[in-house]
Amino acid sequence: HVVMERARWFDALPWLYRVLALAAAAAVLVLAGAWMRRGRRVRDQPSARRSALWLYLTAVAWLVVLGMLAVFFRGAQADQTGLFYGYPGGLFTAALWLVVPVMAMTAACVAMLGPAWKARDWGGWRKLRHTLAVASFALAAWMLWHWNLVGWKL
């Protein structure tokens, strides 16, 4: 017997792709913002500077993991026979295990939102961008967890 149940909206594969694309775009924009601010002398409080540094490191980590997943999925679509006989494969396993520290880094960024919002030298627009980037990373982490794309859930 088979039981059919309508999937929720976030259980559809296009939503996973959209959320991961949002996280990738946020990571690229965070790093672009860091690049544009690289030569300025800033007088941020140490806690706000630490929050920004963690966001930069988390953005790089997200790009590495998402890049690995994109390479794996691209290869899986191109060679489905190899996927069938070689699952899960080294690249996919490494990417899923790298999700674990990236999720921890995202949790640290969420914990450091308070100092970022208390920073006197940051404008409201920068605080909002920082919060939106952390929120997109947290949403992507939740989607990866929900889809069982975490190392030990393989």
Side-chain angles (χ1 to χ4, degrees):
H1 293 91
V2 177
V3 176
M4 301 281 185
E5 181 179 331
R6 183 181 299 270
R8 297 170 292 214
W9 63 270
F10 54 83
D11 287 331
L13 191 59
W15 280 104
L16 174 66
Y17 291 151
R18 287 178 188 135
V19 168
L20 295 181
L22 175 69
V28 167
L29 290 173
V30 163
L31 295 177
W35 178 260
M36 291 181 353
R37 281 190 297 277
R38 75 187 181 286
R40 295 183 193 163
R41 177 142 172 90
V42 292
R43 299 173 309 169
D44 295 339
Q45 292 103 358
S47 59
R49 192 174 309 129
R50 193 170 29 255
S51 179
L53 177 64
W54 267 105
L55 185 64
Y56 303 152
L57 294 175
T58 304
V60 169
W62 270 107
L63 284 179
V64 168
V65 167
L66 293 174
M68 290 174 74
L69 288 174
V71 167
F72 170 76
F73 288 136
R74 180 65 122 184
Q77 288 177 344
D79 182 21
Q80 293 181 358
T81 305
L83 174 67
F84 182 76
Y85 289 111
Y87 182 80
L91 179 65
F92 191 54
T93 303
L96 294 188
W97 277 104
L98 281 177
V99 167
V100 177
V102 170
M103 290 175 88
M105 293 171 78
T106 301
C109 284
V110 169
M112 291 187 208
L113 276 177
W117 273 94
K118 291 178 185 175
R120 289 185 221 107
D121 297 333
W122 288 19
W125 180 236
R126 183 174 178 191
K127 292 176 185 180
L128 179 65
R129 287 190 319 250
H130 187 93
T131 303
L132 290 175
V134 172
S136 69
F137 294 157
L139 179 62
W142 178 81
M143 285 293 276
L144 289 176
W145 180 271
H146 179 73
W147 278 79
N148 291 326
L149 294 173
V150 181
W152 65 85
K153 291 186 165 199
L154 182 66

